[in-house]
Amino acid sequence: MRRIIMMVLRLFFKVPFYFYSIGKCGRKPDVSLEEAYACVKKVTKAANRAGRVRIETYGMENIPKENGFIFFPNHQGLFDVLVFLDSCPVPFSFVIKKEASNVILLKQVVAALKAIPIDREDLKQSLQVINRMTEEVKKGRNFLIFAEGTRSREGNELLPFKGGTFKSAVKAKCPIVPCALIDSFKPFDEKSIAPVTVKLIYLKPMYYEEYASMKTNEIAAEVKRRIECAIKEHTSNGNCG
């Protein structure tokens, strides 16, 4: 919360303009996703600079050249999506928990990027989200979804990945891009406002041919394993077999 306040104070005179710009992207149907993404990305970069957060990105070459894929990162905190918005060169939408989709500014970003709110307590609605995401990915949109379902609150440790989260990828037969977030919990979940570095590693994608014969819980376990390996290699200089 302290860092969010610092961001707002340091951008005080620009906040109304940023708010209006993102809101306009969500209200006007003639604004393309590319235009909206560029706007949100610009604001995100400014906010991260104001908050003294540095993003280190690795594996950009692993982002598929063709649209219609899904990012599957670990979930550490409220800052996670901002890491992707700062670093990712291609537009994407994301799945966000229903409670957060009505928070001021987040609400405008959700509208601008056509993000999909999900009610984790409503199984029927969750299935509808999976089906909607499947159809959007087939049309060439990129998505981000957190397979843990909720942030771990355990720093760089991961919670179990939910197999059902991968049903959209299986149905769409699209590339799965595992992504490892490191220290993304620090900017918003810690009380410090000291400069902080967050790392994001885009791992090699899993294409449909690789996971077609796997069950969704097996896919989830493999994606989790790859992310844990990447975190280990980037935090302890160790190798993961």
Side-chain angles (χ1 to χ4, degrees), residues 108-167:
Q108 284 69 34
V109 172
V110 166
L113 299 184
K114 308 295 188 294
I116 305 176
I118 186 170
D119 185 348
R120 294 175 298 182
E121 304 301 320
D122 187 335
L123 179 59
K124 182 178 179 180
Q125 193 269 349
S126 297
L127 292 174
Q128 290 173 343
V129 169
I130 294 296
N131 291 333
R132 179 180 167 189
M133 195 169 132
T134 299
E135 294 307 312
E136 294 294 340
V137 171
K138 285 181 179 179
K139 294 175 183 177
R141 280 179 63 191
N142 309 314
F143 267 87
L144 180 153
I145 188 169
F146 296 106
E148 288 162 289
T150 187
R151 47 185 167 153
S152 71
R153 299 183 185 276
E154 296 294 334
N156 292 316
E157 299 295 321
L158 275 62
L159 296 175
F161 277 28
K162 300 179 184 298
T165 313
F166 293 85
K167 287 183 179 179

Side-chain angles (χ1 to χ4, degrees), residues 214-239:
M214 300 169 67
K215 296 179 180 178
T216 53
N217 64 324
E218 293 173 331
I219 299 171
E222 175 60 17
V223 170
K224 179 176 182 285
R225 185 192 70 79
R226 295 186 186 191
I227 293 174
E228 287 177 328
C229 271
I231 291 174
K232 179 179 179 181
E233 290 172 356
H234 281 79
T235 56
S236 63
N237 295 319
N239 292 317

Side-chain angles (χ1 to χ4, degrees), residues 35-92:
E35 292 173 309
Y37 185 75
C39 176
V40 173
K41 188 179 185 71
K42 180 180 179 180
V43 174
T44 300
K45 283 183 171 292
N48 289 348
R49 285 195 299 270
R52 299 198 288 181
V53 183
R54 180 169 174 263
I55 309 298
E56 285 187 7
T57 309
Y58 304 85
M60 296 274 281
E61 70 279 3
N62 292 323
I63 299 175
K65 299 297 184 288
E66 294 186 9
N67 290 323
F69 56 84
I70 304 176
F71 291 124
F72 285 91
N74 53 314
H75 195 8
Q76 294 194 333
L78 298 174
F79 190 73
D80 294 351
V81 174
L82 294 184
V83 184
F84 282 86
L85 290 173
D86 188 301
S87 73
C88 186
V90 295
F92 67 90

Side-chain angles (χ1 to χ4, degrees), residues 189-202:
D189 293 6
E190 291 189 344
K191 294 181 180 180
S192 172
I193 58 172
V196 63
T197 297
V198 176
K199 295 181 181 180
L200 170 58
I201 304 102
Y202 295 97

Side-chain angles (χ1 to χ4, degrees), residues 11 14-23 39 42-43 46-47 49 105:
L11 296 172
K14 294 183 179 180
V15 168
F17 173 72
Y18 288 155
F19 188 85
Y20 170 78
S21 298
I22 294 176
C39 176
K42 180 180 179 180
V43 174
R49 285 195 299 270
L105 190 55

